[in-house]
Amino acid sequence: MALRWDLPALTALLLPLLAPALSAGAGACPCSEAALCRPVRHRRDFEVFVFDVGQKTWKYYDWSQITTVAVFGKYDSELMCYAHSKGARVVLKGDVSLKDIIDPTFRASWIAQKVNLAKMQYMDGINIDIEQEVDCLSPEYEALTALVEETTQRFHHEIQGSQVTFDVAWSPKNIDKRCYNYTGIAGACDFLFVMSYDEQSQIWSECIAAANAPYNQTLTGYSDYIKMGISPKKLIMGVPWYGYDYTCLNLSQDDVCNIEKVPFRGAPCSDAAGLQVPYKVIMKQVNSSVSGSQWNKDQQAPYYNYQTEPGTMAQYSGG
Ligand SMILES: *[C@@H]1O[C@H](CO)[C@@H](O)[C@H](O)[C@H]1NC(C)=O
Ligand SMILES: *[C@@H]1O[C@H](CO)[C@@H](O)[C@H](O)[C@H]1NC(C)=O
Ligand SMILES: *[C@@H]1O[C@H](CO)[C@@H](O)[C@H](O)[C@H]1NC(C)=O
Ligand SMILES: *[C@@H]1O[C@H](CO)[C@@H](O)[C@H](O)[C@H]1NC(C)=O
């Protein structure tokens, strides 16, 4: 009985969904000039890549430097028009369950859907951000490389000058149990974006607070990518604009902060014991902290200690 009512409602819902997909890119250009809806074509010999997470913070970016903005917040046509006026690309975020993309048909339809969305929104490519666990000898291992190859082919073919990038951990050494074909993926896309942050996601030694991106650890990661045969020109360095706030079980005289053991993907301790805190919050609080801004010489990174409540200390580790 209820079905009779549901059918027209369903059809009404499907039609508007299908219509834009059928005429991808045919919608009215939202920019002040039609030319601003054209994808960016020229390539530069460097990249300054930004992840935009929403609101209007993009109005404060240094647009003389930026080459690509990956939209991880809500799509904003005003941002797209502005970026294009500055010659910067605006790209989609791509994430999909790796179990699903083992099926080549599913993979093809996922890619087609992303290309259509990019065209509809006058965008210039896609940043693939898959941070899922993959076993070295699994079907997902090969499917992931195929996904990147096919996505790049399709985007480059359908949107001239478009860019396809893939996000990788700070090191290729199976961080967070991500056994990916790094050389295959690097060869298949335009750039690897190296996430040189969350470098304490798996702590194998002492369970103590450490920097989000210690200097040596960061450099070791790049050197390992390059040693695999990946060209440094394919690597974009990602730096964090946030730190971690750890509650110390105890804090030693020389500022060693023992943290709670929170296991992650096989490691006994991790940065999951802390909370991520944005740069602007850190900068507001550092001066009123117990220690003021300090510098960890080994990690080449800033930190400070503050009192959360009588008897409890916490440490912000930046980096
Ligand atoms: C990685 O991917 C490349 C390109 O698809 C392929 O030639 C290579 O055999 C793959 N490597 C492994 C270890 O599977
Ligand atoms: C500090 O806490 C850690 C972890 O609970 C413990 O192993 C260590 O003995 C403590 N040190 C002091 C000085 O209390
Ligand atoms: C914190 O202290 C530094 C150095 O004294 C100063 O330059 C900065 O303006 C202060 N920041 C705030 C938010 O008070
Ligand atoms: C960092 O790396 C340099 C060069 O490899 C080395 O000399 C130095 O001891 C390292 N520092 C730390 C704290 O590991």
Side-chain angles (χ1 to χ4, degrees):
M1 239 166 73
L3 269 179
R4 289 172 65 94
W5 290 98
D6 285 343
L7 271 175
L10 191 72
T11 320
L13 198 96
L14 274 173
L15 278 176
L17 284 175
L18 284 171
L22 291 172
S23 56
C29 171
C31 308
S32 58
E33 291 167 50
L36 294 178
C37 277
R38 269 189 235 130
V40 172
R41 290 205 182 168
H42 74 280
R43 306 216 172 259
R44 302 199 225 180
D45 47 12
F46 65 91
E47 276 288 319
V48 178
F49 200 100
V50 174
F51 288 91
D52 185 88
V53 291
Q55 282 107 42
K56 294 281 181 184
T57 47
W58 58 266
K59 295 201 170 178
Y60 304 95
Y61 294 166
D62 179 356
W63 286 96
S64 69
Q65 302 294 320
I66 293 172
T67 57
T68 300
V69 177
V71 177
F72 274 45
K74 197 168 161 280
Y75 173 73
D76 178 352
S77 62
E78 200 192 341
L79 164 60
M80 178 276 293
C81 300
Y82 194 76
H84 283 180
S85 78
K86 300 289 175 186
R89 289 184 171 79
V90 180
V91 301
L92 285 173
K93 169 189 176 167
D95 187 13
V96 61
S97 151
L98 291 184
K99 273 204 174 58
D100 292 340
I101 55 120
I102 295 168
D103 173 8
T105 314
F106 184 94
R107 214 156 63 217
S109 76
W110 183 83
I111 296 167
Q113 187 209 335
K114 292 297 171 195
V115 169
N116 278 339
L117 182 60
K119 283 184 175 175
M120 242 178 349
Q121 297 181 155
Y122 305 99
M123 294 172 84
D124 313 87
I126 188 166
N127 172 258
I128 305 174
D129 184 36
I130 305 236
E131 305 195 14
Q132 296 157 47
E133 201 175 315
V134 172
D135 283 339
C136 299
L137 297 170
S138 63
E140 284 90 343
Y141 178 89
E142 290 192 8
L144 179 56
T145 317
L147 175 78
V148 179
E149 279 167 358
E150 293 161 16
T151 303
T152 308
Q153 272 166 15
R154 189 76 183 257
F155 265 87
H156 284 182
H157 182 255
E158 303 253 347
I159 304 173
Q160 248 195 70
S162 64
Q163 180 194 73
V164 178
T165 53
F166 186 87
D167 300 342
V168 295
W170 64 271
S171 153
K173 295 194 167 168
N174 299 349
I175 301 304
D176 302 346
K177 293 197 174 165
R178 294 179 210 160
C179 182
Y180 299 172
N181 180 348
Y182 291 101
T183 49
I185 292 172
C189 65
D190 295 307
F191 299 103
L192 293 186
F193 180 92
V194 183
M195 299 183 282
S196 296
Y197 38 80
D198 303 337
E199 297 185 24
Q200 312 306 332
S201 64
Q202 292 178 298
I203 302 174
W204 300 96
S205 50
E206 265 184 305
C207 294
I208 57 176
N212 194 4
Y215 184 75
N216 271 12
Q217 196 177 333
T218 299
L219 291 194
T220 306
Y222 287 96
S223 131
D224 289 340
Y225 278 109
I226 293 163
K227 277 187 214 149
M228 296 180 104
I230 297 172
S231 162
K233 287 194 171 149
K234 274 261 164 144
L235 302 175
I236 300 175
M237 176 184 274
V239 293
W241 285 82
Y242 63 96
Y244 277 84
D245 178 0
Y246 294 100
T247 298
C248 306
L249 297 179
N250 54 42
L251 182 67
S252 76
Q253 292 281 322
D254 51 356
D255 286 348
V256 175
C257 167
N258 283 286
I259 60 173
E260 194 193 336
K261 287 191 163 83
V262 180
F264 186 65
R265 296 195 186 167
C269 297
S270 66
D271 56 18
L275 286 174
Q276 294 183 346
V277 183
Y279 178 78
K280 70 173 180 189
V281 174
I282 293 175
M283 291 319 280
K284 274 190 195 137
Q285 294 187 352
V286 61
N287 283 4
S288 56
S289 65
V290 176
S291 66
S293 185
Q294 298 292 316
W295 186 253
N296 183 310
K297 285 203 190 78
D298 291 339
Q299 298 170 36
Q300 296 278 301
Y303 71 93
Y304 64 85
N305 302 323
Y306 77 102
Q307 189 128 22
T308 50
E309 52 191 80
T312 310
M313 292 293 278
Q315 191 170 77
Y316 270 122
S317 293

